[in-house]
Amino acid sequence: MPKDATAPAPRPMRADARRNYNRVVAAAETVIAEHGAEASLEEIARHAGVGSATLHRHFPTRQALLEAVFKSRVEALCAKAHDLLSDPDPGTALVTWLRAVGAHAVANRGLGASLMRGARHGGPTLGNTCHTMIVSAGDELLARARQANAVRPEAAIVQLLKLVSAIALATEEEPDGPTQADQLLDLALDGVRLHRTSRPHK
């Protein structure tokens, strides 16, 4: 028999399952803040007061758990990108957003790496994942900046996110990590901007 064209809607999560899901996510936020994105899944399960089987039932992969932990933060960054689309200076809007991404990545250890992990390792990038969301949001800002001749035409949003990720990873262990990250990002973005007057050769 042919399958129905419309797939059935997923069943709502039971109340106890929803509680366990929320407990795992909350525990992961705490443990990852202390130990980074490579924190032990067993430690997260213990912190949540659930068994490893329960954790893996809700989150079959580490990437799935990281996405759940960071989803709300990524949604906030996407909302900020959307708001910045109305900024009269597209170049400044792009830089402002990249600074926000960097600040989140440094403050939430491992976020920068997790955002790019799907692209590097063929992770769960189909659908509305964090990676897809952040790339799409940034790409709109980059397109406006490119149209305004504010950035080099060959600049790609994935490259810029890798740059932000690398800076965040290099500074997240430092006491003044956010300040150092901001300074390094400013230096790096100076090379991304399209300078309308060429510098004299020495």
Side-chain angles (χ1 to χ4, degrees):
M1 294 179 63
K3 294 182 179 179
D4 294 337
T6 303
R11 296 176 60 183
M13 195 179 295
R14 298 195 321 267
D16 58 337
R18 170 57 63 183
R19 283 194 297 272
N20 284 337
Y21 179 96
N22 291 337
R23 287 166 69 183
V24 170
V25 172
E29 289 179 345
T30 300
V31 175
I32 289 171
E34 295 176 0
H35 304 290
E38 298 304 317
S40 164
L41 296 182
E42 288 73 20
E43 175 63 23
I44 292 172
R46 284 195 297 271
H47 197 89
V50 301
S52 293
T54 297
L55 184 149
H56 288 290
R57 184 161 56 249
H58 289 295
F59 305 103
T61 65
R62 177 183 296 274
Q63 179 73 4
L65 178 55
L66 288 175
E67 289 189 3
V69 170
F70 295 128
K71 190 172 187 295
S72 63
R73 299 167 193 180
V74 170
E75 287 173 343
L77 288 172
C78 291
K80 184 175 183 66
H82 183 268
D83 292 341
L84 285 168
L85 288 174
S86 60
D87 192 299
D89 187 337
T92 298
L94 175 64
V95 171
T96 298
W97 185 74
L98 289 172
R99 288 188 189 282
V101 173
H104 276 257
V106 174
N108 304 290
R109 297 174 56 190
L111 174 58
S114 73
L115 292 176
M116 301 311 302
R117 186 165 292 140
R120 290 200 305 268
H121 301 301
T125 56
L126 296 176
N128 206 27
T129 65
C130 289
H131 173 74
T132 302
M133 290 166 62
I134 206 79
V135 168
S136 298
D139 214 23
E140 291 186 79
L141 289 172
L142 178 59
R144 288 186 73 238
R146 193 181 291 121
Q147 290 172 359
N149 292 322
V151 296
R152 294 166 57 172
E154 69 271 23
I157 192 60
V158 170
Q159 293 174 327
L160 296 181
L161 288 173
K162 284 182 178 180
L163 184 65
V164 173
S165 173
I167 291 172
L169 288 172
T171 58
E172 65 182 16
E173 299 291 343
E174 300 295 330
D176 59 343
T179 299
Q180 286 197 34
D182 201 50
Q183 292 171 344
L184 288 172
L185 185 59
D186 188 55
L187 290 172
L189 290 179
D190 187 58
V192 175
R193 295 185 181 94
L194 184 62
H195 298 280
R196 291 181 174 80
T197 57
S198 58
R199 295 172 179 172
H201 295 287
K202 295 184 178 180

